Amino acid sequence: MSQTSSIPNLNLNIKELAYGFHTKECSDNYSKGRPSYPRECNHFLQELGLSKESLIVDLAAGTGKFTEILALDFNNIIAIEPSNTFRDECESLLKSIQSTSNPSLNFKVLDGLSTSIPLPDNSVDCITVCWAWHWFSNIESVKEISRVLKPNGILSIIWHKLKFGPGSKNPIEFEKILRLHSDTKYHGGEGNISPTRSLRDKWRDVFTEIKNDPNLLHLLNPDLTELNPPLPNPQITNGEKTIASSLSQSYISILQPNEKQQFINQLKQNLDNFELTSNNKDFIVYYETEIFYTRKPLNNN
């Protein structure tokens, strides 16, 4: 790819990167390719004291990858998502679960942001944020989350973890396939670190900020608790789904059509060069799901 091509780069701000999620094409690719979450996440939340009737908000819900898991075991779900195409997909998923798996499900899918949650003060038992906290890891968002959480309410931050090579069930060859989108020539940054990876690496910083400022301690307990070990989360995928997952990355989604096609061609080549992933055959990617949680203090005055 030419160095003069109009590829996105690390100088793009968060709003410009997030624009990649506001298209029907990205929504379709996200739904088709992104990994789901293990239902054991719900069991963990129940162990924290949530009941079937607890009110749970899935913040930055996307197309509902985790919202649909929540809806299997909890009856009161609100999904908050700024992308209208993602909201449409999320609502469709929840309607399907309501009509098939959980007829007691009450749900809403609302337009909103981490800094503007359209809910009353002290009204929510739990807020989940799955593979999205890096987009809004800041004090302004923490203040809004604290506002809507009930005292002792839970904030749970959930991530997918992916390892390759020795010590992992994923062969090292998977890295050139599943992380091709991080190659610098597809986002214009330095080294194979994607724009969103640079955000994810700093996701805990806001909790350090809270810990170091006594005036912020009323918002959330800054000491995160981590579920250990992480939950196993194997996913059956294939070449088409792998391509869709990569195309749903925000900075890949906003590539120009010719640049996007170059990326697709390279990814197809990488898939076909490895016997396990060639010819669009099914293969398993072994993810781990990491769960962190904290609570709003009982007395947050």
Side-chain angles (χ1 to χ4, degrees), residues 103-235:
S104 298
L105 176 64
N106 297 303
F107 72 88
K108 296 178 182 178
V109 181
L110 303 178
D111 185 9
L113 298 167
S114 62
T115 53
S116 181
I117 300 173
L119 295 172
D121 296 358
N122 304 310
S123 61
V124 175
D125 294 295
C126 176
I127 292 178
T128 59
V129 181
C130 296
W131 201 257
W133 182 259
H134 54 296
W135 289 103
F136 45 83
S137 179
N138 55 62
I139 292 298
E140 291 75 18
S141 297
V142 168
K143 288 179 178 179
E144 182 69 349
I145 287 168
S146 179
R147 180 186 69 78
V148 300
L149 277 176
K150 295 177 181 178
N152 207 41
I154 298 164
L155 169 65
S156 181
I157 300 172
I158 301 175
W159 303 99
H160 291 307
K161 186 177 183 180
L162 194 55
K163 295 180 180 179
F164 305 95
S168 168
K169 292 183 179 181
N170 296 313
I172 193 65
E173 289 85 355
F174 276 11
E175 189 163 17
K176 291 184 178 180
I177 295 168
L178 299 174
R179 288 190 174 156
L180 178 66
H181 57 77
S182 294
D183 191 311
T184 181
K185 66 183 178 181
Y186 300 116
H187 58 71
E190 296 180 0
N192 292 336
I193 300 176
S194 70
T196 52
R197 173 61 185 271
S198 66
L199 296 173
R200 289 200 305 276
D201 286 345
K202 301 176 181 179
W203 76 268
R204 295 175 187 259
D205 288 1
V206 69
F207 295 99
T208 301
E209 186 176 353
I210 295 170
K211 195 167 190 175
N212 292 335
D213 187 344
N215 295 318
L216 299 175
L217 291 173
H218 67 285
L219 297 174
L220 288 173
N221 181 346
D223 296 320
L224 293 165
T225 300
E226 179 180 2
L227 175 65
N228 192 21
L231 298 173
N233 187 23
Q235 301 280 306

Side-chain angles (χ1 to χ4, degrees), residues 10 27 43 77 80 99 105 118 127 140 145 159 195 197 202 211 213 225-226 247 260 272 278 280 286 296 299:
L10 289 171
S27 175
H43 304 159
I77 305 293
I80 307 290
S99 64
L105 176 64
I127 292 178
E140 291 75 18
I145 287 168
W159 303 99
R197 173 61 185 271
K202 301 176 181 179
K211 195 167 190 175
D213 187 344
T225 300
E226 179 180 2
L247 290 176
K260 192 178 292 185
D272 286 335
S278 62
N280 199 41
Y286 293 91
K296 177 179 174 178
N299 183 354

Side-chain angles (χ1 to χ4, degrees), residues 1 42 52 54 57 59 74 89-90 119 132 138 155 171 252:
M1 183 176 294
N42 291 349
K52 201 170 185 67
S54 296
V57 168
L59 182 60
F74 298 102
E89 180 64 24
C90 183
L119 295 172
N138 55 62
L155 169 65
I252 299 297

